[in-house]
């Protein structure tokens, strides 16, 4: 197996700290700026209260206040220069505004840096995860974790967590001022704080479960749309438009119904919540007014109380939602931690490779107890060609994937130039072995870029040389934009055979000493198949080649041919030897050679 080293086992909190590297300080500054904003904002009602009580009104300030009053030139001076109070309020408002600006500015920078780090970390990590991990996870799920889970975490950290701190600071400051002014009235406000928080938490916890259901159903809806758009040709060809439209409509109605249900519940919740908030406000006014009349509260304090209460209740009603969202962010964080904790492959250092390839009792199974390859032993001397032929499902592609360590061997060993597979790094293998996979994949880029993508510093000449060898140069030049033609979504501007040849050219660009073609000529006609093999012999003379095919004519010139049947080598030898042996190879040969030309072509294509 690959000698992997980068083992990580991070908890959700550990993952968050890991992702916050580089942006944590900015977030802390943002929280501090938020605290400053709240502090300055909560001071304003104090100045207003002071003005009403002592400057406009006739009350005498308490002893403890006198130092502050004398700092501003005494009460009489303030009464004559009321603008000083207005300037005080304006200054506090300006400080609050500057703090708010700083909070937003720094928060935006922190968020961008956090998001960038999260995206980069996830993307490069997922690319380095072994194929077995990819086989266990659906692409849609991986993409969802890297996009919507990442967004959830980012939103939570940049908006909700900062808000959480802001609201907690606001509660502390406001309630402290309120309790200093009047304990009884402050208690009325304080009692409602946990009520709103718990009520909000419970409702939003319920709503979140419902939103999750909505998300899942939206996923079903988009999968339906995506599958139909991707397979639009199949839908058209089978005349299934109405069936698919009805299926979509049914899901759409169900999904819309779910939304209506939750929106209705939200409307009821907010109406009740608004009513309670209004009743609480009214209670404060009435009780506050009674205290004023009884002389237990000054007019200034009354105004300050009402202002604090108004400042407080909105954010407090938000708090329940934020707390309930914490668990949602926690789930997303867990899902991302799962990806980051998956072990990356260790690529190791790349070295040159040469010598024979020798498979010794190689066995492999995808699932325990169901071997796909059984004791496969074969030697491919350096510079020779091995042909592999076998029925569909006999294990040919599995074998080549083992050769580039896309999957670990279950048993046996592979030696290259006498070196055991265990001692050959992933980089060494993949730099030295050029593999054309059975399913050719082209990116939505230009044809030229598609060919050059596996090699660094390729010139146009190199690209054209590889394309000529793969017999696709003429096709590409016939396109209006030649090598600059952008290959459409899923390669629609290229035919199946052209795609295969672009994939071959891509592999040939790297001039590797070992070449493996996994049924890579199945979609090209026999004549082109022949030309490509002839070009290869000339261009890559000396390379060790493994060619897999269903077509006898493709492998018949190989130095050695093996027949795979049910994961075992049942026959091996040269073309002539295998024909004489009269086994499966002979049978395939007879079938493929005895058919009329058109039918032969059809069968040979697989
Ligand atoms: N990812 C996988 N998980 C489980 N089983 C798999 C997987 N890939 C292939 N198999 C099974 O392993 C066996 C060999 O598959 P493989 O792709 O190697 O066959 P093949 O000889 O290349 O066939 P073909 O000629 O059709 O390309 C098949 O029975 C297949 O069902
Ligand atoms: Mg295959």
């Amino acid at each position: 197996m690959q000698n992997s080293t980068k083992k990580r086992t991070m908890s959700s909190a550990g993952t968050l700290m890991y992702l916050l590297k580089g942006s944590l300080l900015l977030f802390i500054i943002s929280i501090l700026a938020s605290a400053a904003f709240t502090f300055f904002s909560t001071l304003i009602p104090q100045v207003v209260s002071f003005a009403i009580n002592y400057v406009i009104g006739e009350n005498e300030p308490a002893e403890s206040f006198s130092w502050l009053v004398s700092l501003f030139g005494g009460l009489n001076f303030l009464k004559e220069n009321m603008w000083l109070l207005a300037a005080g309020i304006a200054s506090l408002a300006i400080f609050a505004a500057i703090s708010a600006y700083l909070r937003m500015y720094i928060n935006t920078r922190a968020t961008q840096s956090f998001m960038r780090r999260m995206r980069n970390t996830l993307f490069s990590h997922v690319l380095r995860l072994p194929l077995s991990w990819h086989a266990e996870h659906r692409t849609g799920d991986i993409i969802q974790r890297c996009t919507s889970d990442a967004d959830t975490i980012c939103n939570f950290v940049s908006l909700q967590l900062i808000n959480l701190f802001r609201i907690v600071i606001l509660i502390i400051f406001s309630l402290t001022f309120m309790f200093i002014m009047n304990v009884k009235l402050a208690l009325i406000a304080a009692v409602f704080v946990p009520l709103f928080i718990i009520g909000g938490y419970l409702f939003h916890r319920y709503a979140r479960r419902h939103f999750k259901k909505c998300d899942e159903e939206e996923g079903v809806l988009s999968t339906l749309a995506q599958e139909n758009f991707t397979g639009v040709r199949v839908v058209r060809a089978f005349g299934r438009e109405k069936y698919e439209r009805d299926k979509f409509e049914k899901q759409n109605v169900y999904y819309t119904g779910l939304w209506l249900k939750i929106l209705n519940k939200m409307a009821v919740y907010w109406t009740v919540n608004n009513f309670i908030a209004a009743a609480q406000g009214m209670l404060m006014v009435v009780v506050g007014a009674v205290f004023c009349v009884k002389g237990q509260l000054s007019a200034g304090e009354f105004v300050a109380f009402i202002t604090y209460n108004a400042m407080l209740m909105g954010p407090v009603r938000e708090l329940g939602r934020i707390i309930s969202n914490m668990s949602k962010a926690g789930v997303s964080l867990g899902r991302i931690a799962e990806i980051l904790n998956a072990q990356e492959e260790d690529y190791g250092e790349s070295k040159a490779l040469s010598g024979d390839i020798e498979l010794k009792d190689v066995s492999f199974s995808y699932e325990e107890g169901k071997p796909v390859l059984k004791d496969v032993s074969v030697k491919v001397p350096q510079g020779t060609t091995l042909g592999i032929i076998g029925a569909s499902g006999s294990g040919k592609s599995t074998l080549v994937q083992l050769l580039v360590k896309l999957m670990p061997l279950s048993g046996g060993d592979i030696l290259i130039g006498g070196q055991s597979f265990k001692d050959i790094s992933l980089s060494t293998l993949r730099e030295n072995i050029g593999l054309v996979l059975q399913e050719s994949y082209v990116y939505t880029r230009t044809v030229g870029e598609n060919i050059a993508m596996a090699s660094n510093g390729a010139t146009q000449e190199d690209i054209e040389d590889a394309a000529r060898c793969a017999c696709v140069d003429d096709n590409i030049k016939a396109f209006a934009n030649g090598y600059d033609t952008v290959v459409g979504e899923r390669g629609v501007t290229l035919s199946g055979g052209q795609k295969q040849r672009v994939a071959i050219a891509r592999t040939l660009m790297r001039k590797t000493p070992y070449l493996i073609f996994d049924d890579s000529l199945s979609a090209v006609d026999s004549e082109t198949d022949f030309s490509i093999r002839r070009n290869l012999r000339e261009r890559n003379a000396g390379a060790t080649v493994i060619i897999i095919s269903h077509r006898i004519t493709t492998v018949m010139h190989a130095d050695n041919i093996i027949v795979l049947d049910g994961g075992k080598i049942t026959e091996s030898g040269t073309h002539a030897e295998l024909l004489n042996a009269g086994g499966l190879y002979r049978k395939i040969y007879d079938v493929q050679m005895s058919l009329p030309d058109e039918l032969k072509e059809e069968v040979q294509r697989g």
Side-chain angles (χ1 to χ4, degrees), residues 135 366-367 372 390-399 401 438 518-519 550:
Y366 289 101
E367 293 163 51
V372 171
S392 184
S394 55
K396 305 181 294 296
S397 297
T398 305
L399 189 64
Q401 290 181 44
Q438 186 166 18
D518 185 2
D519 217 0
H550 285 161

